[in-house]
Amino acid sequence: MFAEIGTNISLAREILENGDLVSIPTETVYGLAGNAFNPDAVIKIFKVKNRPSFDPLIVHTYSIDKVQEFVEEIPDKAKILMKKFWPGPLTVLLKKKQIIPDLVTSGSHLVAVRIPGHSLTLKLLSSLSFPLAAPSANPFGYISPTTAQHVYDQLGDKLKYILDGGSSLVGIESTIVGFEEEETIVYRLGGISIESLEKEVGKIKTILSSSSKPSSPGMLSSHYAPSKEVVTDLSEALKSHDINEVSYLAFKEYNAAVPVANQFLLSKTGSVEEAASNLFAGMRKLDGLPTKIIVVEFLPEKGLGRAINDRLRRASVK
Ligand code: TXA
Ligand code: MG
């Protein structure tokens, strides 16, 4: 089997209704989607991604009314954020109803839910009688895909169809938010900044796990990783490598010490939004060059810069 790439929503729907998987475009990254109500389809997702079963999946749907069909309750602060940021790169953790299989949530009583901001995928979701469970469409631990071609390159032999919605505009995964008593907690930094969330609901707590087996949101310490070694300091790379063996992921200016052909610039104008949208494609490009090690440059630690730096840090963990 080799995946077909196209924009045929009825074909995508048919495959999903048969309990098979389709890769779907979203504004954050491409997802590997299956019927969230069907445990057999969910098992296929874990298999294709080679994902450990303790890492739960996000459920995607197209309206807040639909969310109410599979969650018990929505706290007030969750409602505020959902209304403000959906469709968009925000995922909320809510108490699940029984209709969501335990497999989806890895046994948790909470389910992660999101309405993605992508017209093609919203059209597909609204044509279905079930929501879609979808992790990022990459082999577990590797760089997330932001184009249909990225998905094809890594999972093309394990999929029937990749719905092509162009390059993901946001480019990094959704921000994951949970609600405990009166507190709003961010478990994964992502496409909506902490600053934007705090404008809506006040002070937010951040709990970013960095263990190798997190109890909370899939924040394994090593993740988003290219196959080459990644370090965050050029001088460290130069201890064991010649400068010609070094690739460099730069924020807004090339590093004068490294050959330009070995570099990728995230945003000439210094825009963090642009940098986020180019991040994973840049890492892939550098991973494909005939160099031996990748040096990544951190962005200023604010807004989306924080989410980008988080990805860079995890990519550099061995
Ligand atoms: O932007 C995104 O969120 C993309 C697109 C496809 O929607 N999806 C995505 O999925 O990034 P994934 O599987 O790569 O990451 C989802 C994270 C996981 O690390 C998981 O641990 C966390 O969400 N998560 C999912 N369900 C959860 C739950 N019930 N409780 C706590 N964390 C959960
Ligand atoms: Mg992922």
Side-chain angles (χ1 to χ4, degrees), residues 222-258:
S222 171
H223 217 67
Y224 312 106
S227 37
K228 279 179 200 162
E229 185 182 356
V230 176
V231 294
T232 58
D233 187 349
L234 181 59
S235 57
E236 194 190 325
L238 292 178
K239 277 183 203 156
S240 48
H241 294 86
D242 182 88
I243 190 74
N244 292 310
E245 296 175 336
V246 174
S247 282
Y248 195 87
L249 186 70
F251 174 32
K252 54 184 176 183
E253 275 167 40
Y254 288 116
N255 186 315
V258 181

mmCIF file of all heavy atoms in Angstrom, residues 222-258:
data_model
loop_
_atom_site.group_PDB
_atom_site.id
_atom_site.type_symbol
_atom_site.label_atom_id
_atom_site.label_comp_id
_atom_site.label_asym_id
_atom_site.label_seq_id
_atom_site.Cartn_x
_atom_site.Cartn_y
_atom_site.Cartn_z
ATOM 1 N N SER A 222 12.679 13.572 25.490
ATOM 2 C CA SER A 222 13.231 13.571 24.137
ATOM 3 C C SER A 222 12.105 13.418 23.132
ATOM 4 O O SER A 222 11.388 12.436 23.115
ATOM 5 C CB SER A 222 14.214 12.422 23.958
ATOM 6 O OG SER A 222 14.565 12.332 22.589
ATOM 7 N N HIS A 223 11.951 14.424 22.263
ATOM 8 C CA HIS A 223 10.831 14.420 21.334
ATOM 9 C C HIS A 223 11.161 15.367 20.204
ATOM 10 O O HIS A 223 12.107 16.129 20.298
ATOM 11 C CB HIS A 223 9.590 14.888 22.085
ATOM 12 C CG HIS A 223 8.344 14.165 21.665
ATOM 13 N ND1 HIS A 223 8.150 12.833 21.903
ATOM 14 C CD2 HIS A 223 7.229 14.571 21.010
ATOM 15 C CE1 HIS A 223 6.961 12.467 21.432
ATOM 16 N NE2 HIS A 223 6.382 13.511 20.884
ATOM 17 N N TYR A 224 10.351 15.366 19.148
ATOM 18 C CA TYR A 224 10.538 16.287 18.021
ATOM 19 C C TYR A 224 11.945 16.162 17.455
ATOM 20 O O TYR A 224 12.537 17.132 17.004
ATOM 21 C CB TYR A 224 10.334 17.746 18.462
ATOM 22 C CG TYR A 224 9.086 17.972 19.264
ATOM 23 C CD1 TYR A 224 9.132 18.186 20.626
ATOM 24 C CD2 TYR A 224 7.834 17.955 18.644
ATOM 25 C CE1 TYR A 224 7.979 18.385 21.368
ATOM 26 C CE2 TYR A 224 6.678 18.146 19.379
ATOM 27 C CZ TYR A 224 6.762 18.361 20.742
ATOM 28 O OH TYR A 224 5.625 18.554 21.469
ATOM 29 N N ALA A 225 12.529 14.978 17.522
ATOM 30 C CA ALA A 225 13.954 14.871 17.265
ATOM 31 C C ALA A 225 14.280 14.444 15.842
ATOM 32 O O ALA A 225 13.717 13.492 15.320
ATOM 33 C CB ALA A 225 14.563 13.879 18.241
ATOM 34 N N PRO A 226 15.217 15.143 15.206
ATOM 35 C CA PRO A 226 15.771 14.697 13.939
ATOM 36 C C PRO A 226 16.604 13.440 14.181
ATOM 37 O O PRO A 226 16.846 13.079 15.336
ATOM 38 C CB PRO A 226 16.688 15.847 13.507
ATOM 39 C CG PRO A 226 16.401 16.973 14.416
ATOM 40 C CD PRO A 226 15.830 16.391 15.661
ATOM 41 N N SER A 227 17.079 12.792 13.118
ATOM 42 C CA SER A 227 17.905 11.602 13.362
ATOM 43 C C SER A 227 19.343 11.978 13.715
ATOM 44 O O SER A 227 20.047 11.209 14.341
ATOM 45 C CB SER A 227 17.852 10.647 12.172
ATOM 46 O OG SER A 227 17.818 11.364 10.982
ATOM 47 N N LYS A 228 19.762 13.189 13.311
ATOM 48 C CA LYS A 228 21.112 13.637 13.699
ATOM 49 C C LYS A 228 21.134 14.154 15.126
ATOM 50 O O LYS A 228 20.099 14.533 15.659
ATOM 51 C CB LYS A 228 21.526 14.808 12.818
ATOM 52 C CG LYS A 228 22.049 14.407 11.484
ATOM 53 C CD LYS A 228 22.395 15.643 10.690
ATOM 54 C CE LYS A 228 22.433 15.268 9.226
ATOM 55 N NZ LYS A 228 22.345 16.437 8.367
ATOM 56 N N GLU A 229 22.357 14.230 15.663
ATOM 57 C CA GLU A 229 22.507 14.824 16.987
ATOM 58 C C GLU A 229 22.168 16.325 16.922
ATOM 59 O O GLU A 229 22.494 17.008 15.953
ATOM 60 C CB GLU A 229 23.959 14.633 17.453
ATOM 61 C CG GLU A 229 24.189 15.105 18.872
ATOM 62 C CD GLU A 229 25.645 14.974 19.320
ATOM 63 O OE1 GLU A 229 26.473 14.436 18.558
ATOM 64 O OE2 GLU A 229 25.923 15.416 20.430
ATOM 65 N N VAL A 230 21.472 16.810 17.951
ATOM 66 C CA VAL A 230 21.133 18.230 18.022
ATOM 67 C C VAL A 230 21.748 18.812 19.286
ATOM 68 O O VAL A 230 21.622 18.231 20.365
ATOM 69 C CB VAL A 230 19.603 18.439 18.075
ATOM 70 C CG1 VAL A 230 19.247 19.913 18.236
ATOM 71 C CG2 VAL A 230 18.936 17.873 16.817
ATOM 72 N N VAL A 231 22.426 19.950 19.160
ATOM 73 C CA VAL A 231 22.947 20.630 20.345
ATOM 74 C C VAL A 231 22.527 22.095 20.291
ATOM 75 O O VAL A 231 22.108 22.597 19.246
ATOM 76 C CB VAL A 231 24.496 20.534 20.459
ATOM 77 C CG1 VAL A 231 24.938 19.098 20.692
ATOM 78 C CG2 VAL A 231 25.170 21.115 19.236
ATOM 79 N N THR A 232 22.629 22.774 21.422
ATOM 80 C CA THR A 232 22.131 24.145 21.487
ATOM 81 C C THR A 232 23.275 25.162 21.566
ATOM 82 O O THR A 232 23.044 26.326 21.853
ATOM 83 C CB THR A 232 21.207 24.307 22.706
ATOM 84 O OG1 THR A 232 21.949 23.967 23.879
ATOM 85 C CG2 THR A 232 20.002 23.390 22.609
ATOM 86 N N ASP A 233 24.487 24.685 21.283
ATOM 87 C CA ASP A 233 25.634 25.555 21.437
ATOM 88 C C ASP A 233 26.690 25.206 20.375
ATOM 89 O O ASP A 233 27.130 24.061 20.296
ATOM 90 C CB ASP A 233 26.197 25.309 22.855
ATOM 91 C CG ASP A 233 27.311 26.281 23.206
ATOM 92 O OD1 ASP A 233 27.789 26.994 22.299
ATOM 93 O OD2 ASP A 233 27.688 26.305 24.391
ATOM 94 N N LEU A 234 27.031 26.193 19.551
ATOM 95 C CA LEU A 234 27.982 25.941 18.465
ATOM 96 C C LEU A 234 29.335 25.463 18.984
ATOM 97 O O LEU A 234 29.943 24.555 18.418
ATOM 98 C CB LEU A 234 28.153 27.211 17.606
ATOM 99 C CG LEU A 234 29.111 27.102 16.418
ATOM 100 C CD1 LEU A 234 28.681 26.011 15.445
ATOM 101 C CD2 LEU A 234 29.221 28.439 15.675
ATOM 102 N N SER A 235 29.792 26.066 20.094
ATOM 103 C CA SER A 235 31.124 25.675 20.580
ATOM 104 C C SER A 235 31.143 24.208 21.017
ATOM 105 O O SER A 235 32.149 23.523 20.870
ATOM 106 C CB SER A 235 31.587 26.595 21.708
ATOM 107 O OG SER A 235 30.651 26.579 22.736
ATOM 108 N N GLU A 236 29.998 23.735 21.505
ATOM 109 C CA GLU A 236 29.932 22.314 21.872
ATOM 110 C C GLU A 236 30.063 21.434 20.623
ATOM 111 O O GLU A 236 30.779 20.425 20.631
ATOM 112 C CB GLU A 236 28.609 22.025 22.592
ATOM 113 C CG GLU A 236 28.627 20.684 23.298
ATOM 114 C CD GLU A 236 27.243 20.278 23.799
ATOM 115 O OE1 GLU A 236 26.469 21.168 24.205
ATOM 116 O OE2 GLU A 236 26.955 19.068 23.767
ATOM 117 N N ALA A 237 29.386 21.832 19.541
ATOM 118 C CA ALA A 237 29.459 21.054 18.299
ATOM 119 C C ALA A 237 30.887 21.030 17.771
ATOM 120 O O ALA A 237 31.358 20.007 17.258
ATOM 121 C CB ALA A 237 28.527 21.656 17.253
ATOM 122 N N LEU A 238 31.589 22.152 17.915
ATOM 123 C CA LEU A 238 32.935 22.267 17.342
ATOM 124 C C LEU A 238 33.985 21.479 18.129
ATOM 125 O O LEU A 238 35.086 21.254 17.637
ATOM 126 C CB LEU A 238 33.332 23.736 17.214
ATOM 127 C CG LEU A 238 32.508 24.509 16.164
ATOM 128 C CD1 LEU A 238 32.904 25.970 16.119
ATOM 129 C CD2 LEU A 238 32.621 23.866 14.779
ATOM 130 N N LYS A 239 33.617 21.050 19.341
ATOM 131 C CA LYS A 239 34.548 20.205 20.101
ATOM 132 C C LYS A 239 34.777 18.883 19.379
ATOM 133 O O LYS A 239 35.848 18.309 19.417
ATOM 134 C CB LYS A 239 33.966 19.895 21.488
ATOM 135 C CG LYS A 239 34.218 20.995 22.497
ATOM 136 C CD LYS A 239 33.670 20.559 23.859
ATOM 137 C CE LYS A 239 33.386 21.775 24.709
ATOM 138 N NZ LYS A 239 32.374 21.488 25.743
ATOM 139 N N SER A 240 33.730 18.371 18.725
ATOM 140 C CA SER A 240 33.861 17.047 18.118
ATOM 141 C C SER A 240 33.674 17.072 16.595
ATOM 142 O O SER A 240 33.771 16.033 15.945
ATOM 143 C CB SER A 240 32.819 16.105 18.741
ATOM 144 O OG SER A 240 31.564 16.744 18.748
ATOM 145 N N HIS A 241 33.369 18.248 16.014
ATOM 146 C CA HIS A 241 33.112 18.305 14.571
ATOM 147 C C HIS A 241 33.817 19.468 13.905
ATOM 148 O O HIS A 241 33.993 20.533 14.514
ATOM 149 C CB HIS A 241 31.608 18.418 14.305
ATOM 150 C CG HIS A 241 30.829 17.212 14.704
ATOM 151 N ND1 HIS A 241 30.355 17.021 15.983
ATOM 152 C CD2 HIS A 241 30.470 16.108 14.006
ATOM 153 C CE1 HIS A 241 29.727 15.871 16.049
ATOM 154 N NE2 HIS A 241 29.781 15.288 14.872
ATOM 155 N N ASP A 242 34.147 19.249 12.630
ATOM 156 C CA ASP A 242 34.660 20.307 11.782
ATOM 157 C C ASP A 242 33.488 21.246 11.443
ATOM 158 O O ASP A 242 32.349 20.786 11.374
ATOM 159 C CB ASP A 242 35.205 19.622 10.516
ATOM 160 C CG ASP A 242 35.813 20.616 9.559
ATOM 161 O OD1 ASP A 242 37.011 20.888 9.722
ATOM 162 O OD2 ASP A 242 35.077 21.128 8.677
ATOM 163 N N ILE A 243 33.747 22.525 11.202
ATOM 164 C CA ILE A 243 32.668 23.485 10.925
ATOM 165 C C ILE A 243 31.824 23.066 9.712
ATOM 166 O O ILE A 243 30.621 23.311 9.655
ATOM 167 C CB ILE A 243 33.239 24.930 10.758
ATOM 168 C CG1 ILE A 243 32.120 25.977 10.719
ATOM 169 C CG2 ILE A 243 34.115 25.046 9.522
ATOM 170 C CD1 ILE A 243 31.465 26.260 12.020
ATOM 171 N N ASN A 244 32.451 22.379 8.737
ATOM 172 C CA ASN A 244 31.706 21.939 7.548
ATOM 173 C C ASN A 244 30.742 20.794 7.833
ATOM 174 O O ASN A 244 29.915 20.447 6.994
ATOM 175 C CB ASN A 244 32.681 21.516 6.440
ATOM 176 C CG ASN A 244 33.439 22.717 5.925
ATOM 177 O OD1 ASN A 244 32.848 23.741 5.597
ATOM 178 N ND2 ASN A 244 34.762 22.610 5.919
ATOM 179 N N GLU A 245 30.871 20.216 9.013
ATOM 180 C CA GLU A 245 29.955 19.125 9.382
ATOM 181 C C GLU A 245 28.765 19.626 10.190
ATOM 182 O O GLU A 245 27.923 18.853 10.625
ATOM 183 C CB GLU A 245 30.717 18.079 10.222
ATOM 184 C CG GLU A 245 31.826 17.395 9.454
ATOM 185 C CD GLU A 245 32.635 16.450 10.344
ATOM 186 O OE1 GLU A 245 32.666 16.632 11.576
ATOM 187 O OE2 GLU A 245 33.240 15.538 9.793
ATOM 188 N N VAL A 246 28.731 20.951 10.381
ATOM 189 C CA VAL A 246 27.715 21.524 11.256
ATOM 190 C C VAL A 246 26.579 22.177 10.463
ATOM 191 O O VAL A 246 26.828 22.949 9.534
ATOM 192 C CB VAL A 246 28.356 22.600 12.170
ATOM 193 C CG1 VAL A 246 27.298 23.332 12.989
ATOM 194 C CG2 VAL A 246 29.398 21.972 13.080
ATOM 195 N N SER A 247 25.335 21.862 10.802
ATOM 196 C CA SER A 247 24.175 22.603 10.293
ATOM 197 C C SER A 247 23.707 23.550 11.379
ATOM 198 O O SER A 247 23.895 23.268 12.570
ATOM 199 C CB SER A 247 23.030 21.654 9.975
ATOM 200 O OG SER A 247 23.270 21.013 8.762
ATOM 201 N N TYR A 248 23.067 24.639 10.972
ATOM 202 C CA TYR A 248 22.673 25.637 11.960
ATOM 203 C C TYR A 248 21.244 26.100 11.685
ATOM 204 O O TYR A 248 20.906 26.508 10.574
ATOM 205 C CB TYR A 248 23.646 26.819 11.882
ATOM 206 C CG TYR A 248 23.568 27.749 13.070
ATOM 207 C CD1 TYR A 248 24.310 27.514 14.222
ATOM 208 C CD2 TYR A 248 22.733 28.881 13.034
ATOM 209 C CE1 TYR A 248 24.237 28.369 15.313
ATOM 210 C CE2 TYR A 248 22.658 29.738 14.130
ATOM 211 C CZ TYR A 248 23.418 29.482 15.261
ATOM 212 O OH TYR A 248 23.336 30.329 16.332
ATOM 213 N N LEU A 249 20.396 26.005 12.720
ATOM 214 C CA LEU A 249 19.021 26.501 12.623
ATOM 215 C C LEU A 249 18.998 27.873 13.285
ATOM 216 O O LEU A 249 19.084 27.985 14.506
ATOM 217 C CB LEU A 249 18.063 25.538 13.330
ATOM 218 C CG LEU A 249 16.581 25.838 13.195
ATOM 219 C CD1 LEU A 249 16.075 25.582 11.776
ATOM 220 C CD2 LEU A 249 15.760 24.986 14.176
ATOM 221 N N ALA A 250 18.902 28.920 12.423
ATOM 222 C CA ALA A 250 19.032 30.288 12.929
ATOM 223 C C ALA A 250 17.669 30.957 13.040
ATOM 224 O O ALA A 250 16.754 30.642 12.277
ATOM 225 C CB ALA A 250 19.912 31.089 11.980
ATOM 226 N N PHE A 251 17.515 31.863 13.981
ATOM 227 C CA PHE A 251 16.252 32.588 14.117
ATOM 228 C C PHE A 251 16.128 33.633 13.011
ATOM 229 O O PHE A 251 15.433 33.423 12.027
ATOM 230 C CB PHE A 251 16.149 33.206 15.512
ATOM 231 C CG PHE A 251 14.935 34.095 15.711
ATOM 232 C CD1 PHE A 251 13.739 33.845 15.045
ATOM 233 C CD2 PHE A 251 14.994 35.191 16.578
ATOM 234 C CE1 PHE A 251 12.615 34.670 15.233
ATOM 235 C CE2 PHE A 251 13.884 36.008 16.774
ATOM 236 C CZ PHE A 251 12.707 35.759 16.096
ATOM 237 N N LYS A 252 16.832 34.774 13.113
ATOM 238 C CA LYS A 252 16.632 35.799 12.089
ATOM 239 C C LYS A 252 17.882 36.193 11.315
ATOM 240 O O LYS A 252 17.795 36.919 10.338
ATOM 241 C CB LYS A 252 15.980 37.028 12.705
ATOM 242 C CG LYS A 252 16.715 37.577 13.891
ATOM 243 C CD LYS A 252 15.937 38.744 14.501
ATOM 244 C CE LYS A 252 16.630 39.220 15.744
ATOM 245 N NZ LYS A 252 15.909 40.286 16.414
ATOM 246 N N GLU A 253 19.044 35.731 11.765
ATOM 247 C CA GLU A 253 20.272 36.031 11.013
ATOM 248 C C GLU A 253 21.131 34.791 10.932
ATOM 249 O O GLU A 253 21.236 34.037 11.897
ATOM 250 C CB GLU A 253 21.086 37.096 11.751
ATOM 251 C CG GLU A 253 20.666 38.513 11.456
ATOM 252 C CD GLU A 253 21.289 39.479 12.451
ATOM 253 O OE1 GLU A 253 22.475 39.293 12.808
ATOM 254 O OE2 GLU A 253 20.570 40.397 12.875
ATOM 255 N N TYR A 254 21.773 34.636 9.783
ATOM 256 C CA TYR A 254 22.712 33.518 9.650
ATOM 257 C C TYR A 254 23.843 33.681 10.646
ATOM 258 O O TYR A 254 24.218 34.800 10.997
ATOM 259 C CB TYR A 254 23.292 33.485 8.231
ATOM 260 C CG TYR A 254 22.294 33.042 7.187
ATOM 261 C CD1 TYR A 254 21.883 33.916 6.173
ATOM 262 C CD2 TYR A 254 21.774 31.753 7.204
ATOM 263 C CE1 TYR A 254 20.966 33.508 5.210
ATOM 264 C CE2 TYR A 254 20.864 31.341 6.246
ATOM 265 C CZ TYR A 254 20.460 32.219 5.256
ATOM 266 O OH TYR A 254 19.555 31.809 4.315
ATOM 267 N N ASN A 255 24.398 32.563 11.081
ATOM 268 C CA ASN A 255 25.574 32.603 11.943
ATOM 269 C C ASN A 255 26.809 32.716 11.050
ATOM 270 O O ASN A 255 27.037 31.867 10.184
ATOM 271 C CB ASN A 255 25.633 31.313 12.780
ATOM 272 C CG ASN A 255 26.754 31.354 13.796
ATOM 273 O OD1 ASN A 255 27.880 31.741 13.485
ATOM 274 N ND2 ASN A 255 26.442 30.960 15.020
ATOM 275 N N ALA A 256 27.574 33.786 11.252
ATOM 276 C CA ALA A 256 28.691 34.094 10.356
ATOM 277 C C ALA A 256 29.752 32.997 10.339
ATOM 278 O O ALA A 256 30.506 32.875 9.373
ATOM 279 C CB ALA A 256 29.319 35.423 10.760
ATOM 280 N N ALA A 257 29.801 32.181 11.367
ATOM 281 C CA ALA A 257 30.848 31.152 11.456
ATOM 282 C C ALA A 257 30.518 29.893 10.652
ATOM 283 O O ALA A 257 31.399 29.079 10.387
ATOM 284 C CB ALA A 257 31.069 30.786 12.922
ATOM 285 N N VAL A 258 29.259 29.724 10.263
ATOM 286 C CA VAL A 258 28.835 28.468 9.630
ATOM 287 C C VAL A 258 28.544 28.710 8.139
ATOM 288 O O VAL A 258 27.947 29.733 7.789
ATOM 289 C CB VAL A 258 27.543 27.941 10.323
ATOM 290 C CG1 VAL A 258 27.090 26.621 9.717
ATOM 291 C CG2 VAL A 258 27.760 27.802 11.830
#
